[in-house]
Amino acid sequence: MVQKSNVVTPEMNTQSVIIVPDVDLEELIQEVVRASNRGVSAARNVSGEPNWSFGQSLFFSSTVVTTIGYGHVTPLSKGGKVFCIVYAMLGIPLTLILLTALVERLMVPATSLLQFLNSRLGHLYQPFNIRLLHLFLIAVILVGVFVLVPAGVFATLEPEWDYLDSLYYCIISLTTIGLGDYIPGDSPNQPYRPLYKVGTTVYLLVGLTFMMLTLTVFYDIPQLNFGLFFLMRSDETTGDPEKARLQTPGAVGPKYTQQLDDGRRAVVRVKSRRDDSPSPEDTTPIHTFTKKQAQNRNLVTRRALSQSQDFSLIGASCSAKVQLITALSARPESSSTGEPIKYQISAHAQYCQEQHTALLSVVKRFEIAR
């Protein structure tokens, strides 16, 4: 109901004022808020783009299958809700499979980086420290490329966002929290809105893939896998039939090669029994080295490699001395004293060469076993 009033105040330039009842004004405000929550801006709505454009639809689909779910745009019809349910039930598992496959591909260069760090720093630091450095480098790439740089881009493109708002949006989105209080591309005068939405969709998919890669690298470090602390003792043994049989008193099983602290291996051979034949349920004859044995193996490998390099240098030095003595022995005045020294140094050089070859074979055998 609309009423007219003839009251004139100094601030008014017209003779009549339209008065809207409180109930109608409250309904209008609720409708505007409801439309704004669904991504429809009340400002300049006549000239605005449709709410379900291709870019907006693609952005909504990506937030559904990646479980981000901002909630600013939702289907209203019953058919749309049913389709969204079916699409989410099929799309979420397939998206997880796709992201897992991409992470497996990215683990190849990540593993190459870890091997490079081991080759450069393996003789200086422990494997755990090298893995921490590897994880730190992957996390730096994640934060720099997928958080800090996109936050600066969003702060430039969004007129009402500062850098903190953009940083907040990137972290909330890549962690799949998706609060929905900040949505890129929803300002009324946003240019190239469909293209902007498609670019944001690509950023979310690539960023989530690299986030999963970082978590995979973190999970591969046994010392940081805190989930092991929540396992029961029964869970640690029943998962491996061979381990359960070895821990059972009086159980009969195959004997394995034991790694000793000084690098030697003691092999215990036993006569085969009928009870030792593997059963159909037990198909795990592979021995898993313990943490202590693995550390001893790495230590022996590094020592053998270091000693091999020392013997190689000594052998090269002896070879140079042999050549020098040979040249001096050619003189008549030094032939009587040069031959014994030449023979001794030659024998020492041959010994160093044999030690160098033997230690290299030890290193190669340990690398193959590892």
Side-chain angles (χ1 to χ4, degrees), residues 60 64 74-75 78-91:
F60 169 78
V64 171
T74 57
K78 294 183 178 180
K81 293 178 180 179
V82 172
F83 174 77
C84 186
I85 293 174
V86 177
Y87 174 69
M89 294 180 63
L90 297 178

Side-chain angles (χ1 to χ4, degrees), residues 164-180:
L164 179 60
D165 296 335
S166 303
L167 188 67
Y168 168 80
Y169 166 76
C170 293
I171 295 177
I172 292 298
S173 298
L174 294 182
T175 52
T176 66
I177 298 176
L179 296 178

